[in-house]
Amino acid sequence: MSPSDMPSELVTLIVSHLITPSETAPAGQLQTPDKVAIYATVSKDWQKYIERHTFSSILLTPARLDEFDQIIRGPRRKYVRLIALDVVLDSYDEEACGRYETEEDQQKNNRLFTRTLQRLFLTMSSWEGVQEADLGIYMSVKVYSPSDLSRLGQEEGRARRARKNRRGGANDILDRRFDKSYLRLVNPENDGEASALPHSVSAITEIDITAGNLRHMCPASCSLILSKLPGLRTFNAYLWDNERKDLDLRKRARHEFASSINLWPASISKVDLQYYNVGPADETFIPPNILPSSSNQDPLSSNLRAFSQQLTDLTFADITIGAEFFWPSAASQTSDSLLPHWPHLISLTINYTPITPSGQWLFERDPSEEEEEIEWGEDPALYMEADELPAPQDQRVNPFRKKASPELMNAFYVAAGKAAGKMPVLRQMWLAASTGTRLSHSFQYTATATSASVCWRSMPLFEPSEEVLDVWKEAARKNLEVDLEVSCVEGY
């Protein structure tokens, strides 16, 4: 029997053996197709089965977009399961390593970023109806320059650091070069606010946006990308909310993000968002108020609440979020039909910073602990350049806030309990506060068809108010018609 006469089942079996275990990557990782690609020339049937593998995972850079458009045509499109888009910015020279990115540098990067996404979306906009039932494409997006320290090999990276650290060594600010740069989609004609993605892509059903190690993407531009993906089901992202030295920049990016959430498509059912922020390392500092000057409510928390009501699974990590995410503060004057409702939400996980958007600490010093006298050591300003110094709130490490603030945390849990009462299929809610690397306080709600329980873990012990317990007991009765089991544990 010649290879071209083999039954399709036999061809499939042979191809599966040709693909070695090391070539089969987990979801979200590229596969290595080169070793089996040569067998595509055996026959048309073999070509079909081989290409199902070789074109399942595609690595794209700006330089490869034309090739992608020319090669991935016809039936090959339905084989694509994963696209890893690496937006490779231009390299920069040794002189540029010693200074922050200029406005010109930033606009150059923005234009390349925009052109890359424009070109890819134009190509894929014609892929309508080619995906197999219930399958779609996972796409990851990263942005970096080959000159970034994080992209250098281990040996080259060590050598660059060594040159900087020698007395009289290289003037190199390393990855601080793009500390204040936020990649954004722009209109190429005027570099203004983006109307820059005219084409939609239905084939992409999951996207993972991580921008790149230490490089930041404007969160509102991330929202614009989502708006062009009408078939998107899962959204994963690592975005930056941790600007330490320029409060106006942080507030502007956060408020633009809040205003852009209404662009997210209604098709999304799962969100995993790390909106990275950490509190001051020196906990004597009062955190900044990041609310709009005209409001005492956090628009990001409120707009995330509005969007979350369509989801089945939601995870937030390292996020500064307010109680208004769970429940509107003016709900007492709102008719029941207009109150938030999460009919599909099964799982909710929030790891939040121990700070409110208005700048209040959610934790305080444990009165049972004596205040320690700390020896601070040498002032870092004596041996560091001014622009190398951490922000004032991070120049000394002084963690002492361990006790949950009764007033603020009870209000937080009342709001969460009211929301839970509007989540009829909720099976788990996990809320945890972290101070740096230290888990300081957690709450877990677990439900089955016949039971519901809540557990607080904290050191020192946190005991919720009667109002909190009443709200959560009512949620269990309303959703499951069961009595709630309650426990409070001292410790993590």
Side-chain angles (χ1 to χ4, degrees), residues 213-338:
N213 185 29
L214 302 181
R215 284 192 178 267
H216 315 314
M217 183 187 296
C218 175
S221 289
C222 177
S223 294
L224 182 59
I225 294 171
L226 300 192
S227 74
K228 299 301 179 177
L229 305 175
L232 194 67
R233 297 194 290 261
T234 302
F235 167 46
N236 310 305
Y238 174 91
L239 299 173
W240 190 252
D241 186 36
N242 204 42
E243 175 58 51
R244 315 296 273 181
K245 297 182 179 181
D246 188 338
L247 181 59
D248 288 340
L249 176 60
R250 181 188 174 198
K251 291 174 69 172
R252 186 164 61 251
R254 186 179 170 98
H255 297 162
E256 286 177 357
F257 187 32
S259 298
S260 71
I261 288 171
N262 66 342
L263 298 176
W264 295 8
S267 57
I268 295 177
S269 60
K270 297 181 180 180
V271 170
D272 188 340
L273 172 63
Q274 184 175 10
Y275 195 34
Y276 183 78
N277 176 257
V278 293
D282 183 351
E283 293 181 357
T284 62
F285 270 75
I286 303 301
N289 181 338
I290 55 175
L291 299 178
S293 57
S294 59
S295 174
N296 61 357
Q297 297 291 304
D298 178 36
L300 181 66
S301 300
S302 299
N303 292 352
L304 286 171
R305 179 190 71 240
F307 180 82
S308 68
Q309 293 171 60
Q310 71 185 50
L311 302 177
T312 61
D313 296 86
L314 174 59
T315 298
F316 292 138
D318 302 321
I319 190 170
T320 299
I321 200 164
E324 56 267 44
F325 165 74
F326 294 105
W327 204 250
S329 61
S332 58
Q333 291 87 43
T334 305
S335 67
D336 191 65
S337 63
L338 297 177

Side-chain angles (χ1 to χ4, degrees), residues 80-146:
V80 178
R81 299 271 74 84
L82 182 153
I83 294 175
L85 177 63
D86 284 13
V87 184
V88 183
L89 307 175
D90 291 342
S91 300
Y92 45 91
D93 59 22
E94 187 172 333
E95 184 274 332
C97 290
R99 58 171 172 77
Y100 290 98
E101 287 186 341
T102 64
E103 182 68 21
E104 182 180 352
D105 293 329
Q106 293 179 47
Q107 291 300 340
K108 182 180 178 183
N109 290 339
N110 289 340
R111 288 192 291 270
L112 192 153
F113 176 52
T114 301
R115 286 196 303 270
T116 301
L117 283 164
Q118 279 183 329
R119 183 72 178 87
L120 176 61
F121 280 30
L122 172 61
T123 295
M124 295 188 69
S125 63
S126 62
W127 288 27
E128 307 300 332
V130 302
Q131 296 304 308
E132 297 175 358
D134 298 325
L135 294 177
I137 295 173
Y138 166 97
M139 185 171 81
S140 65
V141 181
K142 296 180 181 178
V143 188
Y144 58 85
S145 164

Side-chain angles (χ1 to χ4, degrees), residues 394-415:
D394 300 320
Q395 292 181 14
R396 305 184 189 279
V397 179
N398 184 17
F400 62 85
R401 295 180 181 271
K402 300 178 182 178
K403 182 178 182 292
S405 165
E407 178 183 358
L408 294 176
M409 292 306 294
N410 279 318
F412 185 78
Y413 286 122
V414 166

